[in-house]
Amino acid sequence: MDIKTKIKTTDIHIHQLAEIVGGPRAILYHKEDLIAYDCDGFTLHKHLPKAVVFPKDTEEVAKLVKYCSENNLPFLARGAGTGLSGGAIPINGEVIISLVRMKKLISVDLENRRAVVEPGFVNLKLTNSISDKGYYYAPDPSSQYCCTIGGNVAENAGGAHCLKYGVTTNHILGLEVVLPNGEIIEVGKNGILDEPGYDLLGLLTGSEGTLGIVTKITVRILKNPEGKQTVLAYFDKVEDGSKAVSDIISAGIVPAALEMMDKVAIEGVEAAAFPVGHPKDIDAVLLIEVDGIAAGIDEQINQILDVCRKCNVREVRAAKDEKERERWWANRKTGFGAMGAISPDYLVQDGVIPRSKLPEVLQRIQQISEKYGLRIANIFHAGDGNLHPLVLFDARIPGETEKALLAGSECLKVCADVGGTITGEHGVGIEKREEMRFVFNDEEIIAQTNIREVFNPDNLLNAGKLFPTPGRCVEIKKEMKEAALKA
Ligand SMILES: Cc1cc2nc3c(=O)[nH]c(=O)nc-3n(C[C@H](O)[C@H](O)[C@H](O)COP(=O)(O)OP(=O)(O)OC[C@H]3O[C@@H](n4cnc5c(N)ncnc54)[C@H](O)[C@@H]3O)c2cc1C
């Protein structure tokens, strides 16, 4: 097939890129098609890509990268586009290399407890593929029904059950990566723990698609726990719920998950698709799950019930069956989207704090909410201090978007000020570039950008993400502040 006859543009690069991926069916380049790729889950900035290409294997990815690099075309990788910090937004008019066609489960090795997947393989599908054999993949972002494992590696994704089992980086044993010059390398060969040399697996995991494009991933899989049980606890005061979180951990229990939602969040989840009947007048609900050897579960649950009672819980009970447990989790895991039931728009933030600072930080977030006149819901992984303030706003009202951005940024400043940090799992992307200054000084930022330059010397791969670019970032913040003050 002569692809030139099918592609309706004179742009030579589009013809060349199409040829690499096998023809016009694996490339988008018309404006009306590109609009769907102008942002990811962070919808406040939009830019059209030059094109979106859909390679089928590592060789095609490598050829695309080589072509872009030799022709000075900016490019970036995209998985499912659920990222919440704008990492997959083509701010420089990038060629988007979409990994969604590379979605095979390559192999499962139960004996050595590992699986190998292509980057476009959807997170939840891995557990679904091995659960009948008694195994699962632990990292469980709430977006797991659609986000890709490649995207999880790039963002070092977390999830409700990461309190006990760790985040993505703790489950990655090996990566195949296409470097920004088109060379293919393997890191963590054979999935052996603690390889000699630099810890490139650790460096690449969480590098937000700025050092290379991941094309194959070896992950650790775990045996299903013998038993699990989930408890729901309602508190009249956030302080009591927060104390229960600290006291459960201090009692030596490490729950598999320890989640909290506040009053505004409860209003949202109860108005959305999976209501469970939470009382509307409580200040906080905790969802606590323990798992492990069946014989130990009851004892842990009794300890948790005791702690909650000592913390003035209004009501606490264990799930009566698997159906109820699943319903509780659906209510929690669809929590972000549920905000759409009570607000036209919302901005998700992602700070981390020491657990002991929870009551103080929630109070300061309430003050930020009052300052900007915007409601803020809190849904979070309380056990590991990973907060998700959701700033509710209406983009149709002039100035509200800017106010929401400023309120979100102030929430992160509070997290940094109490000894925490500005992202637990959603990454920095373009959203929190300037906030990196809350936790790193110039020298620390330069030490990191020096590493990026070694991998990505021409800065064609996902440029302008993850680190502040001094001039422009300051200008953007100034413009936002002026717009908010005018409104
Ligand atoms: C409703 C909702 C709930 C969420 N809940 C959670 C949660 O509980 N925990 C959590 O951690 N996150 C959560 N997220 C955020 C998001 O789902 C994760 O960051 C996820 O890891 C992104 O995967 P993706 O496939 O969508 O990646 P994308 O959004 O497509 O890309 C994200 C970044 O990864 C890079 N990238 C993608 N694929 C590759 C690759 N193969 N090689 C190199 N770089 C690549 C992109 O360039 C971009 O910078 C949630 C998002 C939504 C919308």
Side-chain angles (χ1 to χ4, degrees), residues 36 89 178 191-192 197 203 218 233 235 252 257 273 327 431 440 466:
I89 300 179
V178 175
I192 287 164
L203 177 63
T218 306
F235 293 87
R327 184 86 188 171
E431 185 206 14
F440 296 116
L466 190 52

Side-chain angles (χ1 to χ4, degrees), residues 51-233:
V52 186
V53 279
F54 299 88
K56 69 171 184 324
D57 55 26
T58 303
E59 279 61 43
E60 286 190 1
V61 174
K63 281 184 190 161
L64 287 166
V65 167
K66 201 161 191 310
Y67 182 83
C68 288
S69 142
E70 286 172 358
N71 290 279
N72 210 27
L73 294 177
F75 60 99
L76 61 81
R78 179 174 167 122
T82 67
L84 291 168
S85 52
I89 300 179
I91 54 173
N92 308 294
E94 275 88 350
V95 171
I96 292 184
I97 300 178
S98 165
L99 283 314
V100 293
R101 278 176 77 204
M102 294 174 62
K103 56 179 181 185
K104 281 199 282 293
L105 172 56
I106 298 170
S107 64
V108 177
D109 173 359
L110 295 181
E111 213 179 347
N112 291 301
R113 298 202 179 176
R114 64 185 60 161
V116 182
V117 298
E118 287 188 329
F121 195 71
V122 167
N123 174 302
L124 186 60
K125 276 194 170 177
L126 182 50
T127 291
N128 289 347
S129 310
I130 54 181
S131 60
D132 59 334
K133 299 178 185 76
Y135 289 82
Y136 76 111
Y137 176 59
D140 64 337
S142 299
S143 51
Q144 67 181 149
Y145 52 87
C146 61
C147 66
T148 67
I149 295 186
N152 296 167
V153 170
E155 298 290 1
N156 190 17
H161 291 80
C162 292
L163 171 61
K164 181 168 177 181
Y165 293 101
V167 293
T168 300
T169 193
N170 305 109
H171 300 269
I172 301 301
L173 298 171
L175 296 174
E176 177 187 81
V177 182
V178 175
L179 295 176
N181 61 3
E183 275 169 25
I184 304 168
I185 60 163
E186 266 187 77
V187 181
K189 279 191 192 149
N190 307 319
I192 287 164
L193 287 178
D194 202 12
E195 270 198 323
Y198 292 126
D199 177 13
L200 294 184
L201 264 188
L203 177 63
L204 289 161
T205 309
S207 60
E208 301 196 18
T210 61
L211 302 182
I213 298 186
V214 173
T215 46
K216 199 160 50 173
I217 305 148
T218 306
V219 299
R220 185 196 310 278
I221 54 178
L222 302 180
K223 194 105 180 77
N224 283 340
E226 252 182 47
K228 62 171 86 146
Q229 180 56 284
T230 308
V231 165
L232 194 69

Side-chain angles (χ1 to χ4, degrees), residues 253-265:
I253 306 164
V254 183
L258 181 36
E259 300 286 298
M260 188 162 168
M261 292 190 282
D262 74 356
K263 196 175 203 149
V264 182

Side-chain angles (χ1 to χ4, degrees), residues 398-419:
E400 273 216 352
T401 305
E402 291 76 9
K403 278 190 198 169
L405 284 164
L406 289 171
S409 177
E410 279 190 33
C411 291
L412 296 183
K413 181 82 174 70
V414 169
C415 294
D417 287 349
V418 299

